[in-house]
Amino acid sequence: MRAIVLESIYTAYEGGSEPVIKDLSLEVDRGEYVVIGGPNSAGKTTLLESINGLVKITHGRACVCGLDVRRRGFEVRRRVGYVIQNFYFDPFTPFTAQEVVMMGRFGRQGLLSRPKESDYDAVQRAIKTVGIEDLAHKTIGTLSGGQQQKVMIAHNIAKEPDLFMLDEPFSNLDFRAREFLQDVFKGMVQQGVPILMVAHAFDGLPDIPIHLVVMNRGRITGDLSCQAGEVEEIIRKECEVKERCSSG
Ligand SMILES: Nc1ncnc2c1ncn2[C@@H]1O[C@H](COP(=O)(O)OP(=O)(O)OP(=O)(O)O)[C@@H](O)[C@H]1O
């Protein structure tokens, strides 16, 4: 079973007059590391949110982890880890980093159930994996942007997702943290969990085959396999060619 099968989908935001994603098809297998690139407003975030069932798919077929996204969006979201692009915790948010990581278990344990031994174990593993043991008991809103980002990555790892999507996860992280986390993601991919990552900077991608998806104006304009070192050049070329074609 493929992790993602999208067949000619169109998606639109509530009240939007035009679809943002247009006639888009994509297949992703287990264990693939997918990088999604392209210019601003190409529809990269909207694609992630369509896969997750957060934006309405108006036409086409979308199957994620074997589930029909249009009918079973809630179940899809339970199984998909999603680190969003922009989040903000108020300094007075009354949760520690460890409690936020535990919230990643809610889909498995149920909102009103007590955490089990396996939930505590998954939380400790995620905290250790991301290397935030020293932050565990700090209040989330008092952490820096980069520290909060690491907590949200741990939250999604604790979820033990079948598919992991990240929207510009490195925007607040220093180069050491980027390299460390790229290793973590490589390990997840090698265990079979597919990763979809939207990015604008491509330094430090792991040395494994990359499934590169280039988007522009709501469509996929490039879908190919390449090495990490080729990603930036390919995206640059794709975007330049498409810009010339659309303005010529
Ligand atoms: N909540 C929303 N309601 C209506 N339109 C939206 C909404 N979010 C995004 N859009 C529109 O959808 C289009 C694609 O936006 P999206 O955020 O998916 O692009 P992106 O490729 O992720 O951009 P960037 O690289 O700048 O983050 C844009 O024209 C944007 O204005």
Side-chain angles (χ1 to χ4, degrees), residues 13 20 38-47 85 167-168 198 200:
Y13 284 99
V20 174
N40 290 130
S41 85
K44 303 180 295 296
T45 298
T46 308
L47 173 58
Q85 184 177 11
D167 198 348
E168 296 188 41
V198 168
H200 284 293

Side-chain angles (χ1 to χ4, degrees), residues 134-194:
D134 55 328
L135 307 179
H137 301 291
K138 297 199 169 146
T139 309
I140 184 85
T142 63
L143 302 180
S144 73
Q147 289 173 326
Q148 289 183 6
Q149 202 139 5
K150 289 182 194 171
V151 173
M152 290 316 293
I153 290 171
H155 164 104
N156 280 283
I157 289 177
K159 198 170 174 179
E160 298 183 321
D162 296 333
L163 166 69
F164 199 19
M165 306 199 299
L166 303 110
D167 198 348
E168 296 188 41
F170 301 132
S171 51
N172 286 316
L173 299 181
D174 62 46
F175 74 93
R176 231 184 278 266
R178 287 175 197 222
E179 282 174 10
F180 179 77
L181 285 169
Q182 284 289 14
D183 262 358
V184 171
F185 299 149
K186 179 178 168 180
M188 291 178 78
V189 162
Q190 286 170 338
Q191 284 168 27
V193 180

